[in-house]
Amino acid sequence: MKFVSTAAAIAVALATVSVHSATTVTIETNAPGAVIHRNIYGQFMEHLGRGIYEGIWVGEDSDIPNTKGYRKDVVKALKELQVPLLRWPGGCFADEYHWQDGIGPRDKRKKTVNTTWGGVIDDNRFGTHEFMEFAEMLGAEVYINGNLGTGTPQEMAAWLEYMTSDSDSTLANLRRANGRKEPWKVDYFAVGNESWGCGGTMRPEYYADLYKHYATFLKTPADNQPVMIASGGHTEITDWTRTLLEQVPDVWSVRMQAISHHYYTLPTGDWETHGKALNFPASEWFSTMWQTLRMETFIKENIAIMDELDPDNKVGFYVDEWGTWFDAEEGDNPGFLYQQNSLRDALVAALNLNLFHKYARRIQMTNIAQMVNVLQAMILTDKEKMVLTPTYHVFKMYIPFQDATSLPVELKDAPQLTQGDKSIPAISASAAIAKDGNTYLALANTDPDKVQEIVLDAGKLRSASGELLTADAMDAHNTFANPNALVPTPYKVKAKDGRLTIKLPAKSVMVVKLK
């Protein structure tokens, strides 16, 4: 039997397969748009399953190679991903987390029950100091989620003082006694999480009053003031955005600089039976893409309200939880939300990132859920083993878009895919001028069967080169036994007769630099 490399196999397939009539992709290089904030590539880490314990933190005495308790392999992989921002400690967990349980000598910290996720004991070995040190190791900004649900304004204000004060206060000195002399920079701070649900089952009007109450007392030094985030709506809900903008005053003593929004992609759209992560029917490839592309409607409807009530664009729209959510792995604790990650997840990631780029004027942060071992993770671990997921590879391919200047993209003659009465575009595209001065183009082909021919219209182009992620199977994925089953391969094409044409394989993601 003769074997060929993945890149060679793709080249052979593209040379022989028939394609649709070409789609023209026009990049308006002379009409730059908003800057794509690097924090659109933010990550989320919650005290949930093996997301932190084992996934990131193993302790200094572990046989798993570590640096001061942090897994060396995971830290290395995340550094290579250039993670710009970390959100912690939740999520639903945030509204039952009391920060003083997670400071001081680790062997003397409280053991608490994680009532939200699996009913397991959290010994609080990973707390404020460990999180902040981890963020510094990665060179990432921090997003702290405060406890509104079971906490008090005093507790929340004290946590901020503990982290940010450079004074001679008791709390600042307690931080010093616990090993941190200098205050930390807190970049973002949220008052509660999912206050419509696990954070308190509130009405938006009630939450708006609580936000004003709590935020009034959240004081930090003038040179260390976090961006303040209010807990917003989810899915198609817009009344949280409207209520917050109407009822929270634009005054220094309160400050609301962003509103959060959550949306998870379920293949079935049914919270009782989400759909499988692997071995799913072909119909669920389409339904997953259709479900995830609903995000654009939710973004547009919320931004329309923001443009009406905040015409000066002072308040950001942060999609601080998003990603796929499948049925729990058989035999695993259902509260741990561990799922395998396939080529389908890679397409979901690319489609959403392209959307976030498109609306970068308002969307300055998003946080995929979650970073390690939970939902649409970048990394999966099994004790000492580690594997990078297809989603990790997409995020790495998209690094040039961090802090790049977005460029409008128009698709002409692009095909649509249909299933029943629903349709989705076969091609998703995004372009930007990166900090290195080059123009980058991201493409995704949602069609699981057919190659798409792309003709580029972006001035005089000589070539396109970058990486391509694709596979034969819709649920292709990496395993601990075969960690490189699905990895990006090099892609390069030269212009011919003044025309630059890309053949985009079925079910693929591509990022190329244009010259």
Side-chain angles (χ1 to χ4, degrees):
M1 182 177 291
K2 183 179 180 181
F3 292 91
V4 295
S5 69
T6 302
I10 292 170
V12 170
L14 291 180
T16 58
V17 74
S18 61
V19 298
H20 287 284
S21 58
T23 297
T24 300
V25 174
T26 301
I27 303 173
E28 299 181 29
T29 55
N30 295 323
V35 170
I36 299 167
H37 200 294
R38 63 188 178 279
N39 287 342
I40 281 175
Y41 291 83
Q43 299 287 336
F44 177 27
M45 49 189 290
E46 184 171 4
H47 289 244
L48 199 174
R50 295 184 293 110
I52 290 176
Y53 299 113
E54 185 198 304
I56 295 167
W57 176 264
V58 293
E60 295 169 318
D61 297 330
S62 174
D63 292 334
I64 297 173
N66 68 86
T67 301
K68 296 196 294 184
Y70 305 93
R71 292 184 66 127
K72 286 186 175 181
D73 53 357
V74 170
V75 170
K76 179 177 182 294
L78 293 174
K79 282 184 175 180
E80 292 175 357
L81 200 59
Q82 298 182 28
V83 174
L85 174 81
L86 295 173
R87 179 183 178 220
W88 173 86
C92 293
F93 181 82
D95 281 300
E96 63 178 45
Y97 181 68
H98 300 282
W99 67 271
Q100 288 186 318
D101 294 344
I103 61 172
R106 294 192 191 101
D107 60 352
K108 295 182 179 180
R109 295 180 188 178
K110 279 188 179 181
K111 293 184 178 181
T112 54
V113 180
N114 190 333
T115 60
T116 301
W117 302 119
V120 296
I121 295 296
D122 190 329
D123 61 12
N124 286 293
R125 288 173 296 155
F126 192 94
T128 301
H129 288 254
E130 289 75 20
F131 170 69
M132 289 296 199
E133 184 173 46
F134 181 58
E136 288 180 342
M137 291 172 74
L138 298 184
E141 291 187 328
V142 299
Y143 170 3
I144 303 289
N145 223 124
N147 179 352
L148 175 68
T150 63
T152 65
Q154 181 184 28
E155 180 184 20
M156 199 179 288
W159 195 11
L160 274 173
E161 181 182 340
Y162 181 87
M163 292 186 288
T164 66
S165 178
D166 59 357
S167 71
D168 192 35
S169 76
T170 297
L171 284 169
N173 284 328
L174 178 60
R175 182 194 70 236
R176 295 181 182 105
N178 287 331
R180 174 71 181 197
K181 179 180 179 182
E182 300 299 326
W184 289 294
K185 179 76 170 73
V186 177
D187 302 285
Y188 299 85
F189 191 89
V191 178
N193 165 76
E194 292 192 359
S195 298
W196 42 264
C198 65
T201 320
M202 303 174 192
R203 296 176 298 112
E205 295 82 3
Y206 180 67
Y207 172 78
D209 286 341
L210 285 181
Y211 181 89
K212 289 180 284 188
H213 180 181
Y214 277 62
T216 298
F217 300 99
L218 301 182
K219 301 170 183 177
T220 60
D223 62 349
N224 196 358
Q225 293 185 353
V227 173
M228 297 298 298
I229 304 170
S231 175
H234 67 94
T235 318
E236 72 275 5
I237 291 174
T238 59
D239 57 341
W240 282 72
T241 296
R242 180 172 292 278
T243 300
L244 287 165
L245 288 172
E246 288 178 341
Q247 296 192 13
V248 178
D250 183 18
V251 295
W252 179 88
S253 60
V254 175
R255 286 194 306 132
M256 182 184 72
Q257 294 151 293
I259 297 172
S260 73
H261 194 86
H262 294 176
Y263 178 58
Y264 286 97
T265 297
L266 281 60
T268 63
D270 181 355
W271 281 98
E272 295 299 319
T273 304
H274 303 181
K276 294 182 178 180
L278 302 177
N279 301 314
F280 50 85
S283 62
E284 287 188 8
W285 172 276
F286 178 94
S287 64
T288 302
M289 302 305 149
W290 184 84
Q291 292 284 358
T292 209
L293 286 169
R294 295 175 67 204
M295 178 79 83
E296 182 165 21
T297 298
F298 308 149
I299 291 171
K300 289 169 68 175
E301 290 176 348
N302 279 277
I303 288 179
I305 293 170
M306 300 182 85
D307 287 346
E308 172 195 345
L309 300 175
D310 176 38
D312 295 330
N313 209 48
K314 293 181 179 179
V315 180
F317 187 68
Y318 294 177
V319 187
D320 62 3
E321 287 187 33
W322 68 275
T324 55
W325 194 322
F326 307 131
D327 294 333
E329 290 280 313
E330 188 173 348
D332 196 24
N333 185 325
F336 284 5
L337 305 187
Y338 178 87
Q339 63 189 40
Q340 188 46 269
N341 191 296
S342 74
L343 180 61
R344 179 175 59 166
D345 295 86
L347 266 293
V348 167
L351 293 177
N352 282 280
L353 292 173
N354 289 348
L355 276 179
F356 300 150
H357 295 174
K358 183 177 179 180
Y359 296 96
R361 175 177 64 88
R362 282 283 185 185
I363 300 179
Q364 296 126 29
M365 181 206 292
T366 80
N367 305 88
I368 190 168
Q370 292 184 10
M371 189 163 63
V372 184
N373 284 335
V374 177
L375 298 176
Q376 192 174 348
M378 304 289 118
I379 295 169
L380 301 177
T381 68
D382 180 11
K383 299 180 178 62
E384 77 286 353
K385 299 175 184 177
M386 183 196 80
V387 65
L388 306 179
T389 69
T391 299
Y392 175 97
H393 292 305
V394 168
F395 267 64
K396 191 171 182 182
M397 290 164 66
Y398 271 68
I399 284 175
F401 289 96
Q402 293 190 23
D403 287 334
T405 300
S406 60
L407 294 172
V409 175
E410 180 182 353
L411 277 65
K412 183 179 179 182
D413 299 325
Q416 294 279 314
L417 304 182
T418 60
Q419 183 171 291
D421 61 351
K422 297 180 175 64
S423 65
I424 61 171
I427 300 169
S428 171
S430 178
I433 301 173
K435 291 187 295 183
D436 64 9
N438 292 300
T439 298
Y440 288 82
L441 173 67
L443 295 167
N445 181 0
T446 63
D447 193 319
D449 301 311
K450 297 177 181 177
V451 174
Q452 304 295 335
E453 186 173 283
I454 310 291
V455 177
L456 296 182
D457 181 4
K460 296 180 179 179
L461 295 174
R462 303 190 308 274
S463 66
S465 60
E467 290 186 308
L468 170 68
L469 186 70
T470 190
D472 291 334
M474 292 185 291
D475 65 349
H477 59 282
N478 296 321
T479 66
F480 299 109
N482 189 0
N484 296 313
L486 180 56
V487 296
T489 56
Y491 180 88
K492 188 171 184 178
V493 62
K494 292 183 178 180
K496 185 176 182 182
D497 298 326
R499 177 183 170 107
L500 187 56
T501 301
I502 291 173
K503 289 185 178 180
L504 188 63
K507 50 187 178 302
S508 69
V509 179
M510 177 186 292
V511 176
V512 288
K513 178 169 63 176
L514 304 178
K515 291 185 178 181

